[in-house]
Amino acid sequence: MSRTVYLNGEYLPETEAKVSIFDRAFLMADGVYEVTSVLGGKLIDFAGHARRLERSLAELDIKKPAAFGDLLEIHRKLVDLNDISEGLIYLQVTRGAPGDRDFAFPDPETTEPTLVLFTQNKPGLSDNPVAKKGIKVISIDDIRWGRRDIKTVQLLYPSMGKMMARKAGADDAWMVEDGFVTEGTSNNAYIVKDGKIITRNLGTDILHGITRAAVLACAREAQMAVEERPFSIDEAREADEAFLTSASAFVMPVVEIDGASVGTGTPGPVAARLREIYLAESLKAAL
Ligand code: PDD
């Protein structure tokens, strides 16, 4: 069935939504994005995603789309039109299509940003059987640019990381810089040792995950100890548990790193409990 998508103020069948070949995202990866999950037909942490989008745009000097104030309504309408109970909404803002290729930014007075949203229907997203088994990761060098706190569409290296993982018989890759794990290809990384949850502190070297913030708040609320600091792959392999978080995976146990089992090699109790609390709390607050 054809989806209805949103493009620059219009709701269109997916086959009719067209973007210029001169769009800055197509030519320069000059755009930012957000992925918001939908559970029970409602948006999970919309406000957090809207805030991060605003920050990404400001950091790159991309003008806010005129419809910025209507984003909640647009998300909701797409959920309705496409009858999404569980799934994702992808949103992208680009610096627009100035009508030619040029390294210099176009004049924002004459080139409007491009705004695109589409849904991805994913029945069973919250009750994912993979979460009961856990996933395997490999470690790879982090060779991305230095502003990973901005959610840009420059996703070639993370895509290559996924393929390297697949080739190695694993599910995902954790990236390592100067001996410490930064994050996963599309998720934040955690380990658990002696009951303490350890995850890299925020900075320009990782994306400030919306799920990360919510999960750490849940952990603190449940009196679990949290330490925000870098950890190495060796430390992760010696940990009792490992897991990752993202808007599409929620809390996902990691049971193997570079071919070696983490802890018992099965999902640990901390990850399982956090997944349960996070899903319950975010559903309560869903819009
Ligand atoms: N990715 N780190 C990176 C590099 C990411 O791409 C993502 C999200 C995260 C987790 O952020 P959040 O909890 O806000 O989803 C961390 C999305 C899901 C994606 O690219 O599909």
Side-chain angles (χ1 to χ4, degrees):
M1 206 183 74
S2 171
R3 276 174 287 200
T4 300
V5 304
Y6 175 96
L7 172 62
N8 295 334
E10 288 187 281
Y11 294 89
L12 299 165
E14 63 185 32
T15 49
E16 282 172 33
K18 304 245 162 55
V19 177
S20 164
I21 60 162
F22 298 115
D23 196 280
R24 294 275 305 182
F26 182 63
L27 297 178
M28 309 272 177
D30 189 356
V32 299
Y33 77 108
E34 284 295 330
V35 176
T36 303
S37 53
V38 178
L39 292 178
K42 291 187 170 174
L43 301 161
I44 302 302
D45 219 332
F46 173 80
H49 289 283
R51 261 196 310 274
R52 187 172 61 191
L53 173 64
E54 194 168 9
R55 179 178 180 276
S56 293
L57 291 170
E59 290 296 311
L60 294 177
D61 240 338
I62 299 178
K63 189 162 83 173
K64 257 200 248 178
F68 191 87
D70 306 326
L71 284 180
L72 177 57
E73 197 189 312
I74 297 169
H75 277 73
R76 281 182 164 158
K77 190 157 172 186
L78 284 178
V79 167
D80 270 1
L81 289 172
N82 294 291
D83 202 13
I84 307 292
S85 173
E86 294 207 347
L88 304 170
I89 303 198
Y90 177 87
L91 172 158
Q92 182 171 326
V93 181
T94 85
R95 204 182 299 276
D100 204 350
R101 180 174 183 267
D102 190 347
F103 279 79
F105 292 172
D107 181 352
E109 292 296 317
T110 49
T111 301
E112 288 304 311
T114 303
L115 173 61
V116 178
L117 287 93
F118 60 80
T119 54
Q120 292 184 291
N121 191 26
K122 299 211 179 269
L125 188 67
S126 62
D127 197 23
N128 187 349
V130 178
K132 298 192 174 66
K133 234 170 71 214
I135 65 158
K136 301 173 183 176
V137 303
I138 58 165
S139 61
I140 61 173
D141 285 341
D142 195 340
I143 59 164
R144 298 173 300 161
W145 80 325
R147 289 303 306 275
R148 303 154 195 160
D149 55 314
I150 307 172
K151 199 163 171 60
T152 75
V153 297
Q154 304 174 85
L155 296 176
L156 180 55
Y157 188 63
S159 293
M160 289 168 71
K162 272 269 185 217
M163 297 314 290
M164 289 183 237
R166 206 172 269 184
K167 206 166 163 196
D171 305 291
D172 200 7
W174 278 6
M175 294 177 279
V176 176
E177 185 173 59
D178 299 330
F180 294 100
V181 174
T182 51
E183 59 188 335
T185 58
S186 57
N187 45 67
N188 291 116
Y190 307 71
I191 56 172
V192 181
K193 187 70 180 175
D194 299 327
K196 189 182 288 175
I197 298 160
I198 300 159
T199 192
R200 194 179 178 101
N201 46 299
L202 296 180
T204 51
D205 39 16
I206 62 168
L207 185 74
H208 302 189
I210 302 304
T211 320
R212 177 189 183 280
V215 165
L216 291 185
C218 288
R220 288 179 169 122
E221 181 73 16
Q223 314 293 330
M224 297 177 180
V226 175
E227 203 174 317
E228 295 182 59
R229 63 158 175 86
F231 60 85
S232 66
I233 285 290
D234 279 348
E235 190 180 2
R237 288 167 63 138
E238 294 299 309
D240 301 323
E241 293 183 37
F243 64 94
L244 57 83
T245 67
S246 76
S248 50
F250 308 121
V251 177
M252 181 59 71
V254 170
V255 295
E256 200 181 291
I257 301 175
D258 287 336
S261 291
V262 180
T264 59
T266 57
V270 173
R273 176 138 180 259
L274 276 177
R275 183 179 175 93
E276 204 180 295
I277 307 176
Y278 168 74
L279 283 172
E281 288 302 312
S282 50
L283 259 176
K284 265 194 245 163
L287 285 176

